[in-house]
């Protein structure tokens, strides 16, 4: 690992700005990591860019194209180690070397085995001073799904649910629309936009008939593409993969999820269902109990290059993911209302001993309209 030498008073300032740039692409660059780049010379920014979409310019190339003066002798601040291989785009290391940059400061190394230290080594071979990591935890948080997929072969899994203040998600008959207010529901659109896939269960489909799409027109800030005029057209093609856990293949042909934009994957425990009006992908993943093997399902999603996966389901499916230890994070919207003791619980977790409780670390709490949004991560140790 390269050691950072704090020889430049602008290092933290410019890396923080590069991280803000990187965040602009987090909804559109998937399955690639979100990366930002600042190029500075004599304490002044002369170029900046971020990775907008997979297959298009990486952050370093975007920053170099924006230069307002020569890059010779400058410093490049990159939130992720520059790539050293040729994929759909060229090597960022080669571009930085050709530009005349004399110093590169990076936020974190790339967990992708195609890079993973090779970019740093190639820059040093070219005589460029490389320093880092700097603001590493912030850089890692931005791409935690990308990191987990490359390190563990699994996506970052988040459960999103809405509940009353007494911990209820629906009335006893299943009715739940709407527990939370409009601002909380609009906030969910941003979370969906950051997700590569959304998992739901057949019970939710039969009860609520959701489309589970990202509705950009109601949440314009979801799009941060440089060319705002093309944002709706380009992003309307980028909907998360919708995944329905449907063990017995009960999904109706007229379900909204089948007629909404984007791709649908049905995970079942039996084979053989055809649709006349739509042709979703179907995969049979039966476990010994005749249910869908959830671990195999999320491994398949990782193979499909899904970094961040969102679960929007009822308490049974969400509880099953929790019991298997597959969940990384929960985002809970808590409404200021009481639904009573016969209403449905947040999660089906049939614990009988206090020691069985799952410990969480609260990372954030905030008001969203009249509701409280709680973000908590599952303790893994």
């Amino acid at each position: 690992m390269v050691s950072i030498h704090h020889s430049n008073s602008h290092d933290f300032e410019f890396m923080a700005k590069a991280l803000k740039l990187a965040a602009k692409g987090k909804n559109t660059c998937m399955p690639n990591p979100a990366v930002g780049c600042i190029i500075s010379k004599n304490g002044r920014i002369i170029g900046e860019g971020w990775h907008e979409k997979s297959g298009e310019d990486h952050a370093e190339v975007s920053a170099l194209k924006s230069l307002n003066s020569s890059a010779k002798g400058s410093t490049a601040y990159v939130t992720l180690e520059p790539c050293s291989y040729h994929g759909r785009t060229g090597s960022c290391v080669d571009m930085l070397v050709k530009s005349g940059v004399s110093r590169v400061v990076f936020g974190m190394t790339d967990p992708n085995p195609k890079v993973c230290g090779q970019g740093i080594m190639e820059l040093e071979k070219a005589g460029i001073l490389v320093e880092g990591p700097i603001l590493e935890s912030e850089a890692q948080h931005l791409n935690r799904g990308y990191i987990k997929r490359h390190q563990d072969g699994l996506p970052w899994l988040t459960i999103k649910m809405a509940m009353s203040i007494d911990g209820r998600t629906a009335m006893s008959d299943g009715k739940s629309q709407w527990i939370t207010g409009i601002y909380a529901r609009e906030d969910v659109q941003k979370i969906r936009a950051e997700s590569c896939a959304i998992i739901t269960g057949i019970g939710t489909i039969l009860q609520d008939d959701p489309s589970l799409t990202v509705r950009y027109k109601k949440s314009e800030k979801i799009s941060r593409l440089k060319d705002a005029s093309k944002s709706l057209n380009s992003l309307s093609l980028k909907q998360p993969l919708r995944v329905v856990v449907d063990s017995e293949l009960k999904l109706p042909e007229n379900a909204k999820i089948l007629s909404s934009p984007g791709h649908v994957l049905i995970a079942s425990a039996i084979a053989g269902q055809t649709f006349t009006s739509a042709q979703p992908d179907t995969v049979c993943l039966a476990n010994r109990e005749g249910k869908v093997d959830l671990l195999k399902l999320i491994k398949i999603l990782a193979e499909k290059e899904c970094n961040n996966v969102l679960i929007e389901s009822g308490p049974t499916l969400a509880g099953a993911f929790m019991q298997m230890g597959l969940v990384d994070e929960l985002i809970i919207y808590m409404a200021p209302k009481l639904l009573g003791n016969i209403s449905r619980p947040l999660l089906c977790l049939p614990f009988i001993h206090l020691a069985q409780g799952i410990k969480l670390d609260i990372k954030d709490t905030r008001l969203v309209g009249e509701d409280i949004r709680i973000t908590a991560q599952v303790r893994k140790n």
Side-chain angles (χ1 to χ4, degrees):
M1 179 68 67
V2 178
S3 298
I4 185 73
H5 304 287
H6 303 307
S7 58
N8 191 319
S9 62
H10 296 289
D11 284 351
F12 286 96
E13 175 191 354
F14 288 156
M15 185 59 74
K17 289 183 178 180
L19 285 165
K20 288 183 178 180
L21 288 174
K24 293 185 176 184
K26 66 180 180 179
N27 298 341
T28 56
C29 69
M30 298 174 284
N32 291 351
V35 184
C37 179
I38 292 282
I39 300 176
S40 75
K41 194 171 183 179
N42 300 323
R44 184 175 61 88
I45 295 176
I46 61 172
E48 61 181 42
W50 67 90
H51 183 40
E52 294 184 26
K53 295 184 71 177
S54 176
E56 296 186 1
D57 289 340
H58 287 189
E60 298 92 323
V61 176
S62 179
L64 289 171
K65 287 183 177 180
S66 76
L67 289 172
N68 56 35
S69 63
S70 171
K72 188 175 182 180
S74 65
T75 296
Y77 295 87
V78 190
T79 58
L80 181 73
E81 172 189 0
C83 67
S84 54
Y85 67 95
H86 291 261
R88 284 186 288 176
T89 59
S91 161
C92 292
V93 167
D94 290 347
M95 295 295 291
L96 289 169
V97 172
K98 290 177 183 178
S99 73
V101 165
S102 62
R103 178 173 178 256
V104 172
V105 179
F106 67 94
M108 60 170 282
T109 54
D110 193 333
N112 187 338
K114 292 182 179 180
V115 186
C116 201
Q118 294 298 312
I120 292 170
M121 186 173 65
E122 292 299 321
L123 288 168
E124 291 179 328
K125 281 183 180 179
I128 294 176
L129 176 63
V130 183
E131 296 181 330
I134 182 171
L135 298 183
E136 183 179 30
S137 61
E138 291 86 345
Q140 290 173 339
H141 183 269
L142 185 64
N143 286 303
R144 56 192 182 175
Y146 174 80
I147 294 169
K148 188 180 178 186
R149 177 166 66 85
H150 281 292
Q151 291 182 343
D152 302 334
L154 298 171
W156 181 273
L157 208 60
T158 298
I159 289 177
K160 187 282 298 179
M161 300 190 83
M163 70 176 189
S164 61
I165 205 167
D166 54 345
R168 302 294 169 167
T169 60
M171 303 308 295
S172 59
D173 62 0
K175 186 175 181 180
S176 63
Q177 294 180 335
W178 297 102
I179 293 176
T180 55
I182 186 172
Y183 294 105
R185 299 198 296 274
E186 288 183 352
D187 193 60
V188 170
Q189 300 304 315
K190 299 174 185 177
I191 299 172
R192 288 181 180 176
E194 296 171 9
S195 304
C196 301
I198 301 173
I199 299 176
T200 194
I202 185 60
T204 299
I205 297 292
L206 296 176
Q207 178 66 46
D208 299 332
D209 196 21
S211 63
L212 296 179
T213 54
V214 181
R215 294 181 283 278
Y216 296 100
K217 291 181 181 179
K218 294 183 179 179
S219 302
E220 294 178 0
K221 291 183 180 179
I222 287 174
S223 169
R224 294 183 179 180
L225 286 174
K226 289 178 181 176
D227 185 355
S229 65
K230 70 176 183 180
S231 62
L232 288 180
N233 290 333
S234 60
L235 287 179
S236 63
L237 301 176
K238 195 243 102 186
Q239 289 285 347
L241 172 68
R242 273 80 49 74
V243 182
V244 182
V245 177
D246 182 9
S247 295
E248 299 177 3
L249 290 175
K250 295 180 178 179
L251 183 68
E253 284 202 42
N254 62 350
K256 287 182 182 177
I257 201 168
L258 294 177
S259 59
S260 302
H263 297 287
V264 175
L265 173 66
I266 301 172
S268 73
I270 58 176
Q273 180 178 6
T274 59
F275 294 86
T276 57
S277 59
Q279 292 297 326
D281 293 328
T282 305
V283 60
C284 181
L285 300 172
N287 60 18
R288 293 179 180 179
E289 291 76 37
K291 302 292 185 181
V292 172
D293 189 317
L294 300 180
L295 177 57
K296 286 184 179 179
L297 173 59
I298 63 170
K299 283 183 176 179
I300 286 175
L301 295 181
E303 291 170 1
K304 291 178 176 290
E305 297 187 305
C306 291
N307 297 327
N308 303 301
V309 174
L310 181 65
I311 299 171
E312 291 195 53
S313 72
T316 302
L317 181 59
F321 275 108
M322 284 294 299
Q323 290 183 76
M324 292 183 68
L326 300 176
V327 178
D328 298 290
E329 181 180 64
L330 293 93
I331 298 177
I332 308 297
Y333 294 89
M334 186 167 64
K337 60 183 67 172
L338 301 171
L339 296 184
N341 66 305
I342 63 171
S343 299
R344 298 187 180 184
L346 182 70
L347 297 166
C348 289
L349 297 170
F351 298 156
I352 58 174
H353 300 295
L354 188 62
Q356 293 177 286
I358 298 172
K359 294 182 179 180
L360 308 174
D361 291 316
I362 304 296
K363 296 298 183 180
D364 182 73
T365 58
R366 65 182 64 191
L367 277 174
V368 181
E370 294 183 344
D371 305 308
I372 298 174
R373 188 184 76 191
I374 304 170
T375 303
Q377 290 184 10
V378 179
R379 290 188 191 176
K380 297 297 184 178
N381 52 7

